Amino acid sequence: MSYPPQHAHPASRSPGGRCPTAPALYGPEPDGDGLPAFYAELRREYGPVAPVTLAPGVSAWLVIGHREVLHVAREEQDFSHDPRRWSLPREGRVLPESPVMPVLGWRPALLYADGQQHRRMRTAVSETIAGLDGHELRRSVRAAAEELIAAFAPRGEADLVAHYAQKLPSRTVVRLLGLDERTGQQLIWAITGTVAANADSANAGRRMSAILAGLVADRRRDPGPDLASALLGHPAGLSDDEVLHNLAVMFLAGHHTTVNWISATLRVLLCDPAFRSSLTGGHLTVDDALDLVLWRHPPTQHLPARYATRDLELAGRAVRAGDLLLLGLAGANQDPDVLPPNGVPVVGNRSHLSFGAGPHTCPAQDPARLITRTAVDTLHHRIPDLRISVPEPDLPWLRSPWSKGLAALPVRFAPRPPTP
């Protein structure tokens, strides 16, 4: 892969300038294992802010410096969340049917708002999440984990992505929303399609919105003990449309990232003997293990999005008003300026940026951690003899400009008798 030389004029590589040589975040490359080398090359060629493309003709800045990500995340007056500021769609250069628009298109939700409007919606979402009963959530997740394990344990083999990591958060989402199993599965398929950034993403986004619209209408008529009812009844007074789209954001962000976090942690346990030995021997707690995974393999590598409110310079790059910027969380976590000389994060250090930073830091990281911890701990104790059944380099990856999660994690183990 070759890039324009570092000394090229910044304006010639601006996302508004359709630079044809900007490295691509879509497609099979780079996959998850190729990302560290990809970020290192970007850092050598461009420094902490690099031009990239999200889809054909869709350009952006990828911010991979730890200090620069913190700056962009914290300075709302210079870097807005409102995609209506994005210059490419306003100029007709990104169409509504673009595969990236289901994630980047504006909607009345906290992810797309600044200032007071953001604070109003974030208060409702954060307090709704805080109202979850952690003990009940843990019991529910553990019971679902045991049920899923029991389904594949007699076979002596499984795909830990399809049979476990994807299904466990799905069941939690369905329970928290109070959906029936069939509708819940349709919602999960729609969520997965929306973040895939492919030709069907726009349709998947519409299917997701239709399911959530029906749910909101039902809960407005007949409230229940679920997240949609809690948001509808919150004193912040969110409209039905705001509840619908904040639910969409919560589960677009929460489901996909939790699946990736579980999958990445299980992969490290299977493929890193030192890591597994430290956890089994008690030198690492499960939470220590989860944090080390967040440093190395954050569930969302490229967090969308910010939009420059004015012409400015960022780490020597000429950013124009209306340019799109992605927070390169994985790249920032690998910034040599924040890692020890050996490049290995210190156990217990949670200064990683895997949940974002600033006013828009993920409000659901505690339940996400609880679900992931319970998933990993339950499987680790229930089937301790798991072993990967393909060479690690052959593991397939999902193709998305936002995250490169595992598509499959096949394993073998000694078959267990069916649970009576």
Side-chain angles (χ1 to χ4, degrees):
M1 183 181 294
S2 62
Y3 305 121
Q6 175 75 17
H7 60 269
H9 192 279
S12 68
R13 293 184 271 107
S14 164
R18 298 194 192 192
C19 174
T21 56
L25 298 184
Y26 59 94
E29 299 294 341
D31 64 18
D33 281 337
L35 285 173
F38 177 74
Y39 298 134
E41 182 69 11
L42 288 182
R43 208 180 307 275
R44 282 192 297 270
E45 295 293 334
Y46 298 112
V49 180
V52 294
T53 56
L54 304 181
V58 183
S59 52
W61 296 109
L62 180 64
V63 186
I64 56 174
H66 193 277
R67 180 178 59 184
E68 287 75 17
V69 167
L70 286 175
H71 176 73
V72 172
R74 290 169 174 170
E75 301 298 328
E76 283 188 325
Q77 71 274 17
D78 289 336
F79 304 100
S80 170
H81 273 76
D82 191 337
R84 292 172 295 188
R85 294 179 177 270
W86 188 15
S87 58
L88 296 187
R90 287 192 283 108
E91 296 165 2
R93 293 161 59 184
V94 176
L95 300 178
E97 294 300 310
S98 168
V100 299
M101 290 306 287
V103 171
L104 296 180
W106 181 84
R107 52 178 59 92
L110 76 168
L111 186 62
Y112 306 93
D114 302 313
Q116 180 58 37
Q117 189 71 344
H118 168 254
R119 288 189 290 273
R120 182 179 71 89
M121 290 188 281
R122 184 182 174 90
T123 297
V125 169
S126 297
E127 292 181 357
T128 295
I129 292 172
L132 294 172
D133 184 330
H135 295 293
E136 174 58 30
L137 180 59
R138 184 180 296 106
R139 284 192 295 269
S140 175
V141 173
R142 188 172 298 279
E146 293 282 3
E147 183 179 338
L148 291 171
I149 293 167
F152 60 71
R155 300 198 299 266
E157 62 181 11
D159 175 358
L160 293 183
V161 174
H163 300 149
Y164 192 66
Q166 286 180 347
K167 289 188 174 183
L168 189 55
S170 300
R171 294 192 178 196
T172 304
V173 167
V174 170
R175 189 188 70 82
L176 292 176
L177 287 176
L179 290 170
D180 63 81
E181 186 173 348
R182 179 175 177 273
T183 305
Q185 187 57 61
Q186 290 173 341
L187 177 61
I188 298 305
W189 289 336
I191 288 172
T192 302
T194 300
V195 299
N198 58 30
D200 189 54
S201 289
N203 288 328
R206 285 190 283 269
R207 292 194 299 270
M208 178 184 66
S209 294
I211 293 169
L212 292 175
L215 173 67
V216 170
D218 288 344
R219 297 300 182 267
R220 178 66 79 184
R221 290 190 301 268
D222 185 19
D226 56 78
L227 290 181
S229 299
L231 277 178
L232 285 165
H234 192 275
L238 271 60
S239 69
D240 287 10
D241 209 30
E242 288 174 332
V243 170
L244 185 164
H245 289 291
N246 278 291
L247 285 173
V249 166
M250 289 167 65
F251 292 107
L252 276 172
H255 175 266
H256 189 65
T257 55
T258 306
V259 170
N260 286 350
W261 195 3
I262 295 171
S263 302
T265 306
L266 293 175
R267 179 202 179 197
V268 172
L269 283 173
L270 288 165
C271 300
D272 187 333
F275 188 95
R276 184 168 186 153
S277 176
S278 294
L279 183 60
T280 303
H283 303 296
L284 280 180
T285 67
V286 174
D287 274 311
D288 291 334
L290 295 182
D291 282 318
L292 287 175
V293 169
L294 288 176
W295 274 103
R296 299 176 186 176
H297 311 286
T300 300
Q301 289 92 15
H302 312 130
L303 183 66
R306 303 296 192 274
Y307 307 91
T309 61
R310 61 183 180 86
D311 291 352
L312 52 86
E313 185 176 289
L314 180 65
R317 301 293 162 220
V319 177
R320 307 301 184 197
D323 278 358
L324 183 156
L325 300 96
L326 298 178
L327 302 186
L329 305 182
N333 285 351
Q334 296 172 22
D335 190 334
D337 288 345
V338 299
L339 290 176
N342 63 2
V344 178
V346 176
V347 173
N349 183 349
R350 292 189 177 179
S351 62
H352 58 74
L353 299 178
S354 297
F355 293 112
H360 285 258
T361 301
C362 175
Q365 54 187 285
D366 288 341
R369 178 179 289 272
L370 185 154
I371 294 168
T372 304
R373 182 200 303 125
T374 304
V376 172
D377 195 45
T378 303
L379 184 63
H380 182 59
H381 285 91
R382 182 78 165 76
I383 309 183
D385 60 329
L386 287 169
R387 61 189 184 279
I388 191 168
S389 58
V390 299
E392 187 181 6
D394 292 343
L395 291 172
W397 297 88
L398 298 172
R399 301 178 181 182
S400 167
W402 324 119
S403 63
K404 303 287 186 177
L406 282 176
L409 184 57
V411 295
R412 299 182 189 274
F413 50 90
R416 267 60 174 178
T419 302

